[in-house]
Amino acid sequence: MKEQKSWQARFSQAADALTERYVESLSFDQRLWKYDIAGSIAHAEMLAEVGLIGKTDCQAIKRGLREIGSDIEAGKFKWDPACEDIHMAVERGLIAKVGEPGKRLHTARSRNDQVALDLRLYVRDAIDLDMTPLLGELQAALVDSAQKYADAVMPAYTHMQRAQPVSAGAYLLAYVEQFERDRERFVDARKRVDVCPLGSGALAGSTLPIDREVVAKRMGFATISRNSIDATGDRDFIGEFLAAAALCACHLSRLAEDLILYMSQEFGFVTIADAFCTGSSMMPQKKNPDVMELVRGKTARVYAALFGMLTLTKGLPMAYNRDLQEDKIHLFSAHDTLKASLEITAAVIRNTTFNVDRLLAATDKGFMDATILAEYLVSKGVPFRQAHQHVGALVAYAEKDGRELAGLTLDEFARVCDRIGSDVYEYLGPANVVERYRSAGNAGPESVREQIRFWKTKMA
Ligand code: ARG
């Protein structure tokens, strides 16, 4: 005979097979099992401490739950879809193992506070065990690469037009900044994850004398939730996780876009090792940056998760609604995707070389020393707006016969502006420019070395 559902008593009909299949979440919330069991053990211990269950019942419950944990780990646990979700599956497994004491576990608890607890534990681990360390590894890869290429000069672009020469290290460290803000956002979100909802019951708490603080402490939470209605209906902590994930994916996607462009023959700035590229089924000569294209492409999944979560919650009346069961789909999808993308991007960075000669060659056309020439004139007392006009005229003049500013003679300079002396040649040309950046945080090699020292100390 089919086992009765725990909520069956007030129903005159069994759930239709369609209903059962439609409402189940076990197929995807299974992965919460560790958190569900840990939460149940803490809950049982608390129930025993306040005298709501006996010590021997508590022992039996804990033994049963631990056995279920090992069964699941060993792949021996029988997942029955009729159980609806992970919470019911574990509870039913427990009752099957230990009998009567198992029926006492759900005292002063609802699946609503239980699932909120499981999810908070899950997100906390996702931040601590995946996001923070993986971001750190990616940053370390970028910093190492920046160190290697601190003296390599490359063109930097605005509007995808050559703008000013920079150290390749400075370019790489720009991404380290972006990923640092991502890391900070996860760490900050964690503060609001780190709140224990257990004991909020279905939404109103319990009339039984439970001790919520004890459970929170056992589970390593910083604090307990203040309001049971909010605690059961709230999923902001998932929204925040996904928002941080979406920005992080955005940064990965921009880095991917750069590497894809830079690997093209047109740029030839970088070489990504063969092990991180794939070929074409038809064109034998092809080596494609598919890994980076997929990092860019998978960003859509992470955005979709954020939008999915926002859409899921926007119309919900206070407090818990079954819609929330779908939160896991978005959470898991973004977590898995971002984790994989962070991992592989760090590996790609470690296996990408910058073609230093190509970078340098790309800086000698495009008048990337025009700005320094204007600033040179400022140092000779020319107002900047006027200096800008002089240099603009010189650029137009040189461009006519395909020359660069450093190729102009002093006579030619003098025809436009009489303040240009022979020392101007110590300013022109990309190599001079990068050495002369002065402002704090500039994109020259000296500043790069200083920034690297900062990151090395911070990351140590
Ligand atoms: N599987 C549900 C979820 O993930 C658990 C909570 C169900 N609660 C309820 N009263 N139906 O949200």
Side-chain angles (χ1 to χ4, degrees), residues 25 29 84-85 87 110-112 115 235 320-322 324-325 327-328:
S25 55
D29 67 12
E84 271 188 63
D85 55 28
H87 325 296
S110 156
R111 278 184 293 159
N112 297 354
V115 72
R235 293 293 183 275
Y320 177 85
N321 299 271
R322 189 63 175 264
L324 289 175
Q325 178 163 290
D327 57 4
K328 293 154 211 70

Side-chain angles (χ1 to χ4, degrees), residues 112-254:
N112 297 354
D113 58 346
Q114 195 178 352
V115 72
L117 171 73
D118 292 5
L119 286 169
R120 283 175 180 274
L121 292 170
Y122 180 95
V123 174
R124 202 172 64 178
D125 268 3
I127 293 173
D128 292 350
L129 307 179
D130 292 330
M131 296 308 143
T132 328
L134 286 173
L135 276 162
E137 276 164 39
L138 175 57
Q139 287 179 304
L142 287 161
V143 169
D144 286 346
S145 191
Q147 188 158 30
K148 197 157 149 208
Y149 297 111
D151 290 311
V153 181
M154 71 181 281
Y157 301 82
T158 60
H159 318 270
M160 218 43 222
Q161 303 294 311
R162 285 184 187 175
Q164 290 181 285
V166 298
S167 150
Y171 159 76
L172 288 158
L173 292 179
Y175 279 108
V176 178
E177 297 287 344
Q178 305 203 345
F179 293 123
E180 179 62 12
R181 289 193 294 274
D182 291 330
R183 217 186 47 78
E184 285 172 7
R185 267 184 284 273
F186 280 119
V187 170
D188 188 68
R190 190 192 190 283
K191 287 187 238 154
R192 288 169 295 282
V193 177
D194 203 16
V195 178
C196 186
L198 202 68
S200 300
L203 88 165
S206 170
T207 58
L208 296 167
I210 55 172
D211 186 340
R212 295 190 53 212
E213 297 280 359
V214 160
V215 183
K217 198 166 281 162
R218 255 197 203 121
M219 306 299 302
F221 279 105
T223 161
I224 61 169
S225 54
R226 235 178 345 254
N227 179 301
S228 60
I229 300 176
D230 175 54
T232 46
D234 161 55
R235 293 293 183 275
D236 288 1
F237 62 98
I238 296 180
E240 281 194 66
F241 177 85
L242 294 177
L247 268 174
C248 180
C250 170
H251 298 147
L252 286 174
S253 190
R254 291 182 72 170

